[in-house]
Amino acid sequence: MEPYMKVANIKSHPEGNAYGRPTQTYDSELVFVGPGTPGGEYLRRYWHPVAVSKNVTTRPQEVRILGEDLILFRDGRGRPGLLLPRCAHRGTSLFYGKVDDEGIRCCYHGWQFDVQGRCIDQPCEPERGLHRDKVRQPWYPVEERYGLVFAYMGPPDKTPDLPRWDIFEDLPAEVKLFATDSSFSVGGDDSVKILPWNWLQDWENTLDPFHVQVLHSTFTATQFAKEMAVMPKVSYEMTEHGIRYTAYRQLPDGRELDRRSPAIFPNIISTPDVHLQAGLSTTMGWVVPVDDTHHRRFHVMRVPADSDPSVTRPRQMYTEQNRPKRWIDMTEEERQQWPSDWEAQCGQGPITLHSEEHLGTTDQGIAMLRRLMRKQIRLVQEGKDPIGVSFGDESPRVVGSGNFFRAAESEVEK
Ligand code: FES
Ligand SMILES: [Fe+2]
């Protein structure tokens, strides 16, 4: 894909007049996700969620991920399968196939494939396919965990562990996990699953604690806890799995707050509760590239075992009386008046133009993230393993994000 705008390299104007400005471009190494691209090959070294488990049934569904179109289904024995849509016989889409206990059967001539693409029946051929074992429908491995279906689309000999996370293991009886593919966390809602901008714009937002003070706290309404309006002092550190920031705030009531939030490579977030519930975060989110100009979000969260989170899940768009309103129901004018993450990130364009940016001191997290990502891309190109990839280590990883309060000094003295 080419940058959107190319203009002749006429000498640019010294006072910043827009005429004659140089070609605007983006960093293709970081933003492209397709097979064979540097970023795409790096991302293919990890498992990615492709669907919420409960939504995967015997009805085939189209899934687009990392620039590839695939068909996802669950066979009659409960096994999920992820195959290329184009039937290995003469190319009809398996989207129109029928699924039974053994696998998916193409609608055109009835060839049937199991969840690993083996051709197990060719009803029109002599003896139902004397050579059917020579045919394999291209497929990817999938695994289910925490209510999500994960796919691994990288080199088979490099298949890593599907990570476990400490906050989702050994749950007490009163807690259950809830998985969703709603776009609520960027200000969208259940009805909008595909976000029309490059995934990196969303993931970078993870290491941007300053937009919380502006966009979510002071620009229009108080979208999160009112204490977020305090400008934080932020520090960043490298971790075993990526980068973490700590946003420190001295609150008006005398308490002090450390808000810790990680960017877990390659695309995982764990945002501390935005209403400042104290303690460890109980959610994780995945920012999953659909293609170069679209992505989607998956989330897993701990919820009370007796709750129905599909009803109680918060929405984060606010209008006049600070009433929630679904993104889909807002007018364009309302989105202008009460923008949230959706508008801020989508407003950067389908792929933001890195050549036009002016990073400031508060963009340190963004710069660190890009630098670490570029390093991983190079490692993969050199045949090495990128950060966070493990083989044969199933032990749960520590997430470590959350809101950590320090008592007011006077209280400490008492
Ligand atoms: S095209 Fe699929 S069975 Fe013929
Ligand atoms: Fe945000």
Side-chain angles (χ1 to χ4, degrees):
M1 180 185 285
E2 289 297 305
Y4 330 120
M5 184 182 289
K6 278 191 182 230
V7 294
N9 271 324
I10 304 164
K11 201 163 178 280
S12 55
H13 196 276
E15 284 173 16
N17 184 298
Y19 177 76
R21 65 201 183 280
T23 303
Q24 304 171 342
T25 189
Y26 42 72
D27 191 332
S28 56
E29 189 175 41
L30 298 185
V31 297
F32 286 178
V33 300
T37 61
E41 290 303 306
Y42 151 64
L43 290 167
R44 277 170 175 73
R45 296 293 309 278
Y46 300 86
W47 291 86
H48 297 282
V50 294
V52 174
S53 280
K54 68 173 169 30
N55 298 338
V56 182
T57 67
T58 52
R59 181 181 167 194
Q61 56 182 275
E62 293 172 312
V63 166
R64 188 162 164 78
I65 175 169
L66 299 178
E68 297 188 49
D69 288 309
L70 302 162
I71 295 293
L72 179 65
F73 64 96
R74 187 185 295 283
D75 74 11
R77 294 197 221 162
R79 300 173 297 189
L82 187 63
L83 308 181
L84 250 61
R86 194 186 157 79
C87 174
H89 179 219
R90 275 176 36 220
T92 293
S93 174
L94 294 178
F95 180 65
Y96 300 105
K98 200 181 278 180
V99 175
D100 66 15
D101 279 3
E102 309 307 321
I104 187 166
R105 190 181 292 280
C106 177
C107 69
Y108 207 1
H109 313 94
W111 287 23
Q112 190 178 26
F113 307 97
D114 73 7
V115 292
Q116 295 193 336
R118 290 181 202 89
C119 186
I120 52 177
D121 193 22
Q122 296 173 334
C124 309
E125 293 292 303
E127 296 185 38
R128 303 194 78 111
L130 288 168
H131 307 294
R132 62 175 188 247
D133 59 338
K134 303 275 183 303
V135 177
R136 193 94 183 231
Q137 182 71 15
W139 65 288
Y140 285 123
V142 286
E143 267 192 53
E144 291 184 89
R145 184 162 295 165
Y146 306 141
L148 295 174
V149 177
F150 290 84
Y152 175 71
M153 297 167 63
D157 59 325
K158 306 262 193 199
T159 307
D161 302 321
L162 173 59
R164 294 183 181 280
W165 300 101
D166 60 348
I167 57 174
F168 298 150
E169 298 287 329
D170 302 322
L171 298 179
E174 64 277 13
V175 170
K176 68 177 178 183
L177 295 183
F178 171 65
T180 176
D181 57 356
S182 164
S183 60
F184 75 95
S185 62
V186 290
D189 61 68
D190 272 339
S191 67
V192 202
K193 305 287 167 68
I194 307 287
L195 308 167
W197 63 95
N198 183 265
W199 77 281
L200 187 58
Q201 283 148 241
D202 196 345
W203 199 48
E204 282 182 344
N205 176 276
T206 309
L207 287 183
D208 181 0
F210 292 97
H211 88 281
V212 174
Q213 198 276 344
V214 181
L215 180 68
H216 296 302
S217 303
T218 51
F219 191 73
T220 55
T222 301
Q223 298 178 356
F224 300 162
K226 63 179 184 336
E227 290 87 346
M228 299 284 219
V230 175
M231 190 64 83
K233 287 197 178 89
V234 182
S235 59
Y236 304 85
E237 60 189 316
M238 307 297 290
T239 67
E240 197 184 343
H241 300 295
I243 302 165
R244 180 172 65 186
Y245 76 70
T246 301
Y248 166 81
R249 284 178 174 85
Q250 203 153 23
L251 303 181
D253 63 11
R255 287 179 306 163
E256 294 174 81
L257 168 64
D258 283 325
R259 190 172 155 78
R260 284 198 201 108
S261 191
I264 299 170
F265 275 53
N267 59 347
I268 306 176
I269 65 174
S270 177
T271 309
D273 183 64
V274 296
H275 301 292
L276 296 188
Q277 190 182 339
L280 289 172
S281 169
T282 54
T283 74
M284 294 185 85
W286 286 258
V287 185
V288 181
V290 169
D291 54 31
D292 294 339
T293 52
H294 298 82
H295 74 287
R296 54 189 308 182
R297 281 290 198 107
F298 290 93
H299 288 269
V300 174
M301 52 193 86
R302 291 166 61 124
V303 295
D306 56 359
S307 67
D308 180 1
S310 59
V311 176
T312 57
R313 211 176 25 70
R315 303 182 194 128
Q316 295 182 3
M317 295 301 270
Y318 294 80
T319 54
E320 262 134 353
Q321 287 77 38
N322 213 11
R323 276 198 316 249
K325 192 167 183 180
R326 297 198 320 158
W327 182 88
I328 195 83
D329 297 327
M330 296 180 87
T331 64
E332 191 173 69
E333 192 177 349
E334 285 174 326
R335 289 176 195 151
Q336 280 183 294
Q337 275 185 286
W338 292 283
S340 188
D341 284 305
W342 181 300
E343 288 69 33
Q345 295 175 24
C346 191
Q348 292 174 301
I351 307 178
T352 197
L353 294 165
H354 298 108
S355 65
E356 306 309 293
E357 291 178 333
H358 298 85
L359 297 192
T361 51
T362 50
D363 295 308
Q364 192 185 340
I366 311 296
M368 285 175 77
L369 181 138
R370 291 179 187 172
R371 211 176 305 127
L372 189 60
M373 197 172 145
R374 203 182 306 282
K375 199 166 152 195
Q376 307 318 304
I377 289 172
R378 301 276 159 80
L379 281 174
V380 170
Q381 287 175 330
E382 291 163 12
K384 298 181 183 141
D385 297 325
I387 188 169
V389 161
S390 73
F391 304 94
D393 178 10
E394 284 282 287
S395 52
R397 301 173 180 190
V398 176
V399 179
S401 64
N403 297 310
F404 304 100
F405 288 91
R406 307 178 201 172
E409 237 169 68
S410 52
E411 281 180 38
V412 175
E413 282 163 13
K414 275 180 213 162

